[in-house]
Amino acid sequence: MNSRQNQLKAFDRLLTIMDELRQKCPWDKKQTLQSLRHLTIEETYELGDAILDNDLNEIKKELGDLLLHIVFYSKIGSETKDFDIADVANEICDKLIHRHPHIYGDVVVENEEDVKRNWENLKLKEGKESVLEGVPKSLPAMVKASRIQDKVAGVGFDWEEPYQVFEKLKEELDELQYEINVQDQDKIESEFGDVLFSIINYARFLKVNPEDALERTNKKFIKRFQYLESKAKENNKDLVDMTLAEMDVFWEEAKNII
């Protein structure tokens, strides 16, 4: 791996290139914090895909794309004299030191749960009115639910045992079934949301990331369905003309392969 000297040299090279692009490239010169936002979100999802695929070469590339965005935002901030890359780096360094008193202070912790609890308590002492302030409003609902549960658990608002969460999940499923029988669409949606929230919470107790788990299933389903499509073509059949039983033959084949 690269030495610290080479790492800093590479980072300096990126900063220099960013300066040049901002001066000379028509596209780069036009960009603003707002115009880059959706691109940053897209790059973040691409990194997430690479991580799920465990494609280390692709992870390296996507990290580079995200690093470029951080440098780009910092460059724009320096042009308005609001902040630059040093301010960004020092801000996170200061936060990490402050939020890790068990490393940089005299606080003693027993495990990672103590660390998380201290982290949330420190945030409240910094002036935040709610432990949930740090959950971005624009997060996808499943990710947001997971982060909400993490946050409140960090201050002790949590179930004690996994079986309690599972019992709560079964309770929510019963309530959903009741509303389905009653056929109240608004309450069905509400109870369905409660079921999803509960199963996401249960995933936390199982030490499963629900977003990753669902995306793995998405990818698996896509591969299996595409296998079904390819087998249908091999047999000169269109899916719309096939019966469910016919499609299920290929689906079972796919399950044994994928």
Side-chain angles (χ1 to χ4, degrees), residues 212-223:
D212 291 350
L214 181 57
E215 184 58 16
R216 283 181 64 180
T217 296
N218 288 340
K219 289 176 178 291
K220 180 170 61 179
F221 184 92
I222 289 170
K223 289 178 181 178

Side-chain angles (χ1 to χ4, degrees), residues 82-109:
D82 290 301
F83 59 87
D84 62 16
I85 193 66
D87 296 320
V88 172
N90 283 323
E91 185 81 19
I92 189 58
C93 287
D94 292 343
K95 179 190 289 186
L96 288 172
I97 291 171
H98 178 65
R99 297 273 180 88
H100 289 78
H102 54 289
I103 302 296
Y104 301 102
D106 55 7
V107 173
V108 177
V109 296

Side-chain angles (χ1 to χ4, degrees), residues 93-218:
C93 287
D94 292 343
K95 179 190 289 186
L96 288 172
I97 291 171
H98 178 65
R99 297 273 180 88
H100 289 78
H102 54 289
I103 302 296
Y104 301 102
D106 55 7
V107 173
V108 177
V109 296
E110 297 294 331
N111 50 47
E112 66 172 298
E113 293 305 318
D114 286 350
V115 174
K116 290 168 67 175
R117 194 174 298 109
N118 286 340
W119 182 280
E120 296 301 338
N121 287 333
L122 283 168
K123 288 173 67 175
L124 290 175
K125 290 179 181 178
E126 290 167 6
K128 293 189 180 296
E129 296 181 1
S130 169
V131 296
L132 299 178
E133 280 186 25
V135 181
K137 296 177 182 178
S138 58
L139 276 179
M142 180 177 289
V143 180
K144 185 186 291 185
S146 185
R147 294 298 295 135
I148 287 171
Q149 292 162 4
D150 276 341
K151 293 284 187 181
V152 299
V155 292
F157 188 76
D158 202 6
W159 299 95
E160 294 179 350
E161 300 292 339
Y163 79 87
Q164 296 173 313
V165 191
F166 189 63
E167 289 300 317
K168 180 62 176 177
L169 173 58
K170 290 194 290 185
E171 177 187 320
E172 296 294 355
L173 283 167
D174 289 341
E175 291 177 4
L176 172 61
Q177 187 59 58
Y178 174 82
E179 297 302 343
I180 291 172
N181 293 338
V182 173
Q183 284 296 293
D184 186 322
Q185 191 60 38
D186 184 64
K187 289 184 178 179
I188 288 173
E189 181 178 299
S190 177
E191 294 298 340
F192 194 86
D194 290 346
V195 168
L196 289 176
F197 194 84
S198 294
I199 201 165
I200 290 168
N201 204 20
Y202 190 44
R204 182 168 56 87
F205 276 81
L206 298 178
K207 300 190 185 305
V208 169
N209 183 300
E211 180 74 14
D212 291 350
L214 181 57
E215 184 58 16
R216 283 181 64 180
T217 296
N218 288 340

Side-chain angles (χ1 to χ4, degrees), residues 15-26:
L15 293 176
T16 300
I17 291 172
M18 185 73 257
D19 289 343
E20 293 171 348
L21 293 178
R22 193 67 174 164
Q23 292 174 2
K24 302 175 183 179
C25 175

